[in-house]
Amino acid sequence: MAPRVVVIGSGPAGVRAAQALVEAGLRPTVIDEGRRDGGQIYRRQPEGFSRSYDTLYGTEAERAASLHASFDALKSMIDYLPETLVWNISPNAVHLVSGTRYRTLAFDSLIVCSGATDRLMPVKGWHQAGAYSLGGAQVALKSQGCAIGSRIVMMGSGPLLYLVAAQYVKAGAQVAAVLDTSTLMQRVAALPRLLAIPAALKKGIALTRVLTQARVPVHRGVQPVEIKGSPHDGVSGVEVALPGGERIEIACDAVALGYHLRPETQLADLAGCRFLFDADTQQWLPQIDDDGRGSVKGVYLAGDGARVRGADAAERSGRLAALAVLHDHGMHVEGMERLRRELARFTRFAAGLRAAFPWPAKFAASLPDETIVCRCEAITAGELRRVVRATGAQEANRAKAFSRVGMGRCQGRYCGHAGAEIIAAAASVPLASVGRLRGQAPVKPLPVALTEASIEAASTEASAEISE
Ligand SMILES: Cc1cc2nc3c(=O)[nH]c(=O)nc-3n(C[C@H](O)[C@H](O)[C@H](O)COP(=O)(O)OP(=O)(O)OC[C@H]3O[C@@H](n4cnc5c(N)ncnc54)[C@H](O)[C@@H]3O)c2cc1C
């Protein structure tokens, strides 16, 4: 009997994984919580919008068109479940919700291609209306064709900082400044690794040219001080310290923040995969082999959800994980070695990006006590430090239980990394020993209208299917 393969995500990794499975004669199920396929980078605009591929995707227009065409061609050969959230995973079954409908689906192999989200470091005032993540600012532009404000500051570090700033400039928005916490020297030192993918490096340089031509002020090596504003009017400006210590304030009505990306790993966690501390990126990542096999038999991880290496690498790792599935089911496959070799170049390039735009771990220790760390639960850095000192909680989940940092609707996606840095600094322990927030189901909020009866009915159906 053909193996039942489920692919989570219809971004570059998920689409290429599904394509390889279909080529081998399988009919996979592809699940995505989004309304349309394409994932983050090749996010499709809503039906009824008619911007051209060039307008929407710029230099990536051809790649976007190719991915979309591939997925359109696959649709009759897969079971595609859009607008469907995978909210939990149990052994050999995924738990889904679509609208108010609950469903459980059994699988023999699961390929998780869940992508990444912004990696965020809090700054005083970032909870005010008008403060977005860089990814959020880009989604507003790509999906809805609107800007987050009329005078915008982009702050943080990483390729997305320059990409989103350039996209806003090209769309006609006023970018008041780009405030980068990394330095030019860090970028120069990373050059040998960045040269692993010369075309990507060239694209990065072109982005800075867009900003220069538009005369957008770019300050490097800054330390964020405060996002100014008021509860009534929202964001009114951003204050940073320049490398020499001088402080400047830039007036704006919106700010977009971010420090590169972090993989979405909750589903891997719920699937029971083992995690290891990655000293290079200073975070816990699911353990995978070169082909994307997780530590749990039958669970494979691909794309940015496993390792942040960009969209081209995601396409390759998605295909490679699918080939690994086929190989593990005893089918003949070709091309794995070539994909592994190509991915090694992207891994080197990604390491270069991390060195060029480092995660500013040290900022966490110096955050003023009144800075909100957990925006969902409105918990400050001072409260988290107090909890660590008063209770001796030096482990992330224990500190969460006492402080509620990471207990809100984002489940620690946006505050977890900074929270761990604050705990480590307050307890004077290494970051690795703080551990990581355990993934909890549901990974995202479920509709209240989901009735107990529908859950029970679906569970019975699923148990019958699994025992078959
Ligand atoms: C906000 C944002 C913007 C980005 N913009 C760019 C850009 O402009 N240019 C660029 O080069 N790179 C960009 N990147 C990086 C780029 O998105 C990735 O390199 C690439 O998209 C990775 O492909 P992927 O298939 O691994 O993940 P993604 O493209 O992120 O696709 C993951 C898919 O999984 C789905 N998913 C996740 N969790 C669940 C769940 N629980 N249930 C159901 N479905 C789920 C998501 O809806 C999504 O469609 C961006 C990243 C982010 C986070």
Side-chain angles (χ1 to χ4, degrees):
M1 229 166 80
R4 297 163 300 180
V5 187
V6 167
V7 178
I8 303 175
S10 60
V15 171
R16 295 304 177 206
Q19 192 176 26
L21 296 166
V22 168
E23 283 166 8
L26 302 190
R27 187 181 178 88
T29 301
V30 179
I31 306 165
D32 201 299
E33 62 176 317
R35 240 188 27 223
R36 305 194 70 190
D37 56 285
Q40 289 291 2
I41 174 168
Y42 305 132
R43 175 181 294 276
R44 290 207 200 199
Q45 57 193 332
E47 292 86 352
F49 282 48
S50 57
R51 287 167 291 168
S52 70
Y53 270 74
D54 281 340
T55 309
L56 262 171
Y57 307 109
T59 55
E60 309 310 306
E62 245 178 64
R63 283 182 167 82
S66 155
L67 195 87
H68 294 165
S70 297
F71 195 70
D72 289 343
L74 285 178
K75 273 191 187 148
S76 62
M77 293 173 276
I78 61 174
D79 293 315
Y80 174 42
L81 307 178
E83 294 188 270
T84 302
L85 174 74
V86 180
W87 65 271
N88 197 6
I89 299 178
S90 53
N92 291 94
V94 285
H95 300 265
L96 317 176
V97 66
S98 175
T100 55
R101 187 163 172 242
Y102 174 96
R103 231 179 122 179
T104 293
L105 201 65
F107 63 80
D108 298 305
S109 302
L110 173 70
I111 309 180
V112 182
C113 305
S114 47
T117 45
D118 295 88
R119 197 174 187 191
L120 296 172
M121 174 62 75
V123 54
K124 189 175 167 190
W126 75 314
H127 58 285
Q128 298 180 92
Y132 293 75
S133 73
L134 283 165
Q138 196 197 46
V139 171
L141 193 63
K142 265 194 201 169
S143 178
Q144 298 297 323
C146 64
I148 58 170
S150 55
R151 189 178 150 80
I152 305 142
V153 166
M154 308 278 177
M155 181 160 74
S157 196
L160 212 51
L161 176 67
Y162 290 89
L163 176 64
V164 179
Q167 287 172 332
Y168 264 66
V169 165
K170 281 187 184 163
Q174 191 191 354
V175 178
V178 171
L179 305 172
D180 188 345
T181 56
S182 71
T183 65
L184 203 55
M185 280 316 292
Q186 286 166 327
R187 224 154 300 173
V188 172
L191 254 185
R193 279 175 284 178
L194 293 175
L195 280 167
I197 311 281
L201 179 60
K202 228 167 108 188
K203 278 184 203 162
I205 294 168
L207 295 177
T208 49
R209 209 170 303 133
V210 170
L211 300 179
T212 313
Q213 280 167 0
R215 297 177 193 282
V216 173
V218 177
H219 297 281
R220 296 195 176 85
V222 306
Q223 170 148 10
V225 176
E226 184 175 353
I227 295 176
K228 307 265 186 184
S230 68
H232 186 257
D233 298 318
V235 170
S236 63
V238 176
E239 184 182 353
V240 291
L242 298 178
E246 182 199 347
R247 290 195 174 191
I248 57 166
E249 187 177 330
I250 295 160
C252 62
D253 62 1
V255 55
L257 290 170
Y259 296 87
H260 208 13
L261 302 171
R262 51 163 286 284
E264 274 288 0
T265 56
Q266 285 94 344
L267 292 178
D269 202 356
L270 293 172
C273 292
R274 185 180 308 127
F275 278 60
L276 299 174
F277 185 72
D278 181 50
D280 184 25
T281 58
Q282 293 285 294
Q283 62 191 311
W284 290 83
L285 295 174
Q287 184 185 359
I288 47 169
D289 73 2
D290 285 350
D291 303 336
R293 291 179 189 84
S295 62
V296 173
K297 191 169 180 305
V299 177
Y300 302 74
L301 310 169
D304 275 6
R307 298 288 181 273
V308 173
R309 291 182 290 199
D312 291 352
E315 289 192 40
R316 286 165 176 83
S317 68
R319 183 171 182 82
L320 183 58
L323 295 182
V325 168
L326 298 169
H327 175 271
D328 295 349
H329 282 285
M331 299 168 83
H332 173 73
V333 291
E334 282 176 7
M336 290 180 82
E337 193 45 48
R338 183 180 51 81
L339 288 168
R340 287 182 200 128
R341 267 199 314 273
E342 288 176 8
L343 276 171
R345 282 175 51 227
F346 286 99
T347 302
R348 185 168 162 75
F349 181 76
L353 281 182
R354 287 194 298 274
F357 304 106
W359 163 243
K362 63 178 191 313
F363 292 170
S366 58
L367 284 176
D369 273 348
E370 63 273 27
T371 309
I372 288 193
V373 174
C374 171
R375 298 205 324 181
C376 300
E377 298 286 308
I379 313 292
T380 63
E383 173 61 7
L384 181 56
R385 289 175 183 132
R386 190 195 64 72
V387 161
V388 171
R389 291 188 187 118
T391 65
Q394 300 181 359
E395 192 274 328
N397 297 286
R398 221 170 137 64
K400 169 182 164 182
F402 286 126
S403 69
R404 298 190 64 80
V405 167
M407 213 178 265
R409 56 178 289 153
C410 95
Q411 296 270 301
R413 277 186 187 82
Y414 297 110
C415 63
H417 284 197
E421 299 280 0
I422 292 170
I423 296 167
S428 304
V429 295
L431 183 68
S433 77
V434 173
R436 66 194 171 83
L437 293 174
R438 279 187 297 273
Q440 304 280 356
V443 291
K444 288 184 187 166
L446 299 179
V448 172
L450 208 66
T451 61
E452 230 172 78
S454 77
I455 293 174
E456 270 171 25
S459 304
T460 317
E461 204 178 289
S463 325
E465 202 184 330
I466 291 167
S467 56
E468 272 169 25

